[in-house]
Structure formats: C-alpha cells, structure tokens
C-alpha cells in the first residue's frame, strides 16, 4: 500500500524532522552542484483545482531536477469537472503515474483519492491543511533560528489551512505556538484539541496579537481571505484590521525574530510593506525552500 502525505498528523515528529533534514541536504547538494537523479523515468501528475504559482512551479522544478517528468492538470483538463467519480480517477491515474499531487477544496477529496490510489497522494493544499508548505516553513525556521524545540512561534490572523497545519507541526515537533485569531476565525477545533492532548509545549489560542507576538522568535501570517473565500473579502478586512503584522506589532517580539509568510501576500493588509521587505522577513528563502522540500517529499514517497 502506498503511503500518502495528506496531513502532518499522519507522521511522527521523527519522520517530519527526517523530511526536513533531507531537504536541507538536497539544498546543500544543489548549491554544491551535486546532481541527484533519483526519480529518472518516474512521472508525477499535478491535479490542481485552485490557482498556484509557487507550489506548482516548485513541484515541477523539483521533479524535473530529480530526473522525472510532470503532467499538470487544471480543473478544466480532467473529467472530474464532468463528475467522473474520484475513486475512478484515482484507480486510472495509478496505472499511469507514480505519484498524485493534488490541490483542491475539501480535505475529504484528497482523503477519497488516497483511499483508492495505488500510488502516493500528496496534499498540495486543501481548505483544511497545507502540509507541504509548513514543511518548507519549518526548514526555513531551522536555517534561521536553529533547533525547533527551543522556539516560540506566533501565528497572527486567520485560523485557516496554514494555521491548522502549524498546530499539527507544533504537536509533533515540540515548539511553543501561540495563535492570535479574531472571534469567529479560529482554527479547526478538533485539530486544536487533538494537538493539545499530545503537545510537549503549549499551543495557545488568544485574541490579542500583541500577546501572541510577545517574545516570539518567529511570526507567521497569511492572507485574510483564502482561495474560495473571495466573497468574504470585505467582511474579513474589517474583522482582521487589528491583526496586521507591522513594525508596531513586532516591537514586542524577540529582537532577532524572523517573519514568515507563505505568499502570495496582500501588502498593507495582513503584513505591512515595510515588514515584508524589511530585514526580519525571510519570505524569499521560505519560497525557495518549497522546491527543496518538494524534492525531499517526491524522493521519499516515490523513491
Ligand atoms: N504558498 C503557496 O502555496 O503559494 P501558491 O499558492 O502560489 O502555490
Ligand atoms: N491560506 C491561503 C494559502 C495560499 C497559499 C489559501 O488557502 O488561499
């Protein structure tokens, strides 16, 4: 049976750490000009029902870099749009390709695909999780701040797919996490409860962003309206206004704190232009690391 990457909670802390270590090594290798062609002759299909710049291109370059091939399918390109059952798509695609990377809406869609797929299914974002992104974020944090278990990490803004995956990472990897979210925009309650039950360090949910950021080593944010929530944009602008990551908010953070944003960013909404472009921002390393972590994921799950 194939192993899938659907959510971070499906993996032990040691497995998550090993994936990040593998990506760090692949990054060093690529900077040293060492070519790794482990996936020569293998094929991955990217099935994307939402737009993407980084995830799509970094998965593609990762796969080509490892000697493999990629087939990209948007929602216009498959019979899914004409209601072909997922379980049929999963079984057919398993006969053609070595791995399915999917970006879609409901988590139940990737779960169903995985149930019927003979090849690994990788979640490249759903409404509930963004596990591959958090792996590259963790890699970026390790590069800039060292061992995770000593760190205090803050999440400021929407309790969205990114927040849910950060919560699962905190439970498995043992860093302290405080999330500040407005009323009505909290992370998934079941995910939070399950994570807290096993976490070695606190996972706090507060209203006040100043409290979340106090002494934090890493500050994270994301858009206030995720893909699929475009109709709520105006309502959300109002609810989230006090949650902007800006220089004033960062005054309470550790002096050498770094700021993460998975991108795309809405400047002067969830993050000020000055912070995004300023010395604390590590967002370009974070974006680059998606390619290295995707190499590690593809090599691990296909290889
Ligand atoms: N961070 C991220 O997933 O970006 P894309 O939507 O461009 O893939
Ligand atoms: N929370 C955002 C992440 C985009 C990479 C979204 O789902 O749109």
């Amino acid at each position: 049976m194939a192993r899938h990457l659907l959510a971070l909670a499906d993996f032990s802390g040691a497995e998550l750490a090993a994936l990040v270590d593998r990506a760090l090594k692949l990054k060093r290798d690529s900077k040293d000009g060492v070519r790794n062609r482990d996936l020569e002759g293998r094929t991955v299909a990217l099935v994307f029902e939402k737009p993407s710049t980084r995830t799509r291109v970094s998965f593609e370059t990762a796969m080509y870099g490892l000697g493999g091939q990629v087939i990209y399918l948007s929602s216009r390109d498959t019979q899914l749009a004409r209601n072909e059952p997922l379980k049929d798509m999963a079984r057919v695609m398993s006969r053609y390709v070595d791995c399915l990377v999917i970006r879609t809406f409901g988590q139940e869609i990737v779960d169903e695909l995985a149930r019927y797929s003979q090849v690994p299914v990788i979640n490249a974002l759903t409404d509930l999780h963004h596990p591959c992104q958090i792996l590259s974020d963790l890699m970026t944090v390790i590069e800039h701040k060292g061992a995770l278990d000593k760190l205090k990490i803050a999440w400021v803004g929407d309790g969205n797919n990114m927040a849910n995956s950060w919560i699962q990472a905190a439970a498995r990897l043992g860093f302290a996490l405080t999330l500040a979210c407005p009323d009505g925009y909290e992370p998934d309650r079941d995910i939070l409860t399950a994570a807290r039950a096993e976490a070695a360090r606190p996972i706090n949910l507060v209203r006040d962003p100043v409290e979340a950021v106090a002494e934090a080593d890493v500050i994270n944010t994301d858009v206030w309206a995720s893909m699929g929530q475009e109709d709520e944009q105006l309502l959300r602008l109002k609810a989230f206004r006090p949650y902007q990551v800006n220089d004033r908010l960062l005054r309470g953070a550790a002096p050498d704190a770094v700021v993460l944003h998975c991108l795309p960013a809405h400047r002067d909404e969830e993050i000020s232009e000055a912070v995004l472009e300023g010395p604390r921002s590590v967002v370009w390393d974070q974006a680059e690391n998606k390619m290295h972590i995707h190499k590690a994921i593809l090599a691990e799950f296909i290889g």
Side-chain angles (χ1 to χ4, degrees), residues 50 54-55 103 125-127 130 133 160-162 222-223 225-228 262-264:
K50 288 177 177 175
R54 280 146 287 272
T55 308
R103 167 169 287 200
L125 182 146
T126 62
D127 295 341
H130 198 358
Q133 177 69 51
N160 61 14
N161 43 8
M162 289 283 301
D222 186 18
V223 290
S226 285
M227 290 180 274
C262 66
L263 306 175

Side-chain angles (χ1 to χ4, degrees), residues 101-122:
V101 176
I102 177 157
R103 167 169 287 200
T104 187
F105 293 87
Q107 183 72 15
E108 70 283 358
I109 297 175
V110 297
D111 290 346
E112 169 93 348
L113 202 60
R115 202 168 305 125
Y116 287 93
S117 174
Q118 302 293 309
V119 299
V121 173
I122 310 294

Side-chain angles (χ1 to χ4, degrees), residues 121-299:
V121 173
I122 310 294
N123 177 359
L125 182 146
T126 62
D127 295 341
L128 197 64
H129 290 292
H130 198 358
C132 300
Q133 177 69 51
I134 275 56
L135 288 170
S136 56
D137 300 354
L138 294 168
M139 175 179 173
T140 312
V141 170
I142 290 168
E143 283 180 330
H144 286 271
K145 311 286 330 164
L148 290 170
D149 57 353
K150 306 269 181 304
L151 299 178
K152 183 168 181 247
I153 298 187
W155 176 269
V156 178
D158 195 13
N160 61 14
N161 43 8
M162 289 283 301
N164 291 332
S165 290
W166 266 105
I167 289 168
Q168 294 194 332
R172 290 291 144 96
L173 292 162
F175 53 85
L177 179 67
T178 303
L179 305 103
C181 308
D183 191 10
Y185 297 97
E186 295 87 357
D188 184 271
R189 191 194 303 246
D190 294 341
I191 290 174
L192 187 58
T193 306
R196 278 176 170 162
E198 63 167 275
R201 294 188 65 200
I203 302 178
N204 296 315
L205 177 61
V206 300
R207 287 273 173 261
D208 182 1
V210 175
E211 185 181 342
V213 163
E215 311 285 325
D217 304 293
V218 178
I219 296 96
N220 252 298
T221 190
D222 186 18
V223 290
W224 291 338
S226 285
M227 290 180 274
Q229 298 171 334
E230 289 77 8
D231 293 352
E232 300 172 29
Q233 180 88 22
L234 282 180
L235 188 73
R236 283 169 170 265
L237 268 182
K238 230 192 262 163
F240 284 94
R241 188 58 76 199
Y243 290 80
Q244 184 184 85
V245 174
N246 53 33
D247 283 315
R248 188 159 30 89
L249 184 67
L250 293 180
R251 268 184 224 142
D256 56 352
V258 296
V259 174
L260 299 182
H261 190 310
C262 66
L263 306 175
H266 290 182
R267 286 167 160 80
D268 297 327
E269 287 186 17
E270 75 275 3
I271 189 164
S272 69
E273 167 90 18
V275 169
L276 188 73
E277 300 287 356
R280 293 177 190 272
S281 166
V282 294
V283 302
W284 314 117
D285 289 343
Q286 188 185 357
E288 174 185 335
N289 286 340
K290 286 174 71 76
M291 182 177 64
H292 304 295
I293 205 80
H294 292 160
K295 271 191 181 169
I297 290 168
L298 292 167

Side-chain angles (χ1 to χ4, degrees), residues 67-88:
Q69 307 172 67
V70 180
I71 299 167
Y72 177 81
L73 298 161
S74 76
S75 35
R76 279 198 310 274
D77 301 317
T78 71
Q79 298 284 10
L80 282 180
R82 295 175 63 243
N83 294 325
E84 179 170 24
L86 275 167
K87 58 184 181 182
D88 294 2

Side-chain angles (χ1 to χ4, degrees), residues 22-36 292 295:
R22 188 165 187 169
L24 286 162
K25 177 170 186 322
L26 284 162
K27 182 173 182 176
R28 282 194 301 275
D29 283 353
S30 84
K31 306 280 175 203
D32 292 344
V34 177
R35 280 160 67 91
N36 176 323
H292 304 295
K295 271 191 181 169

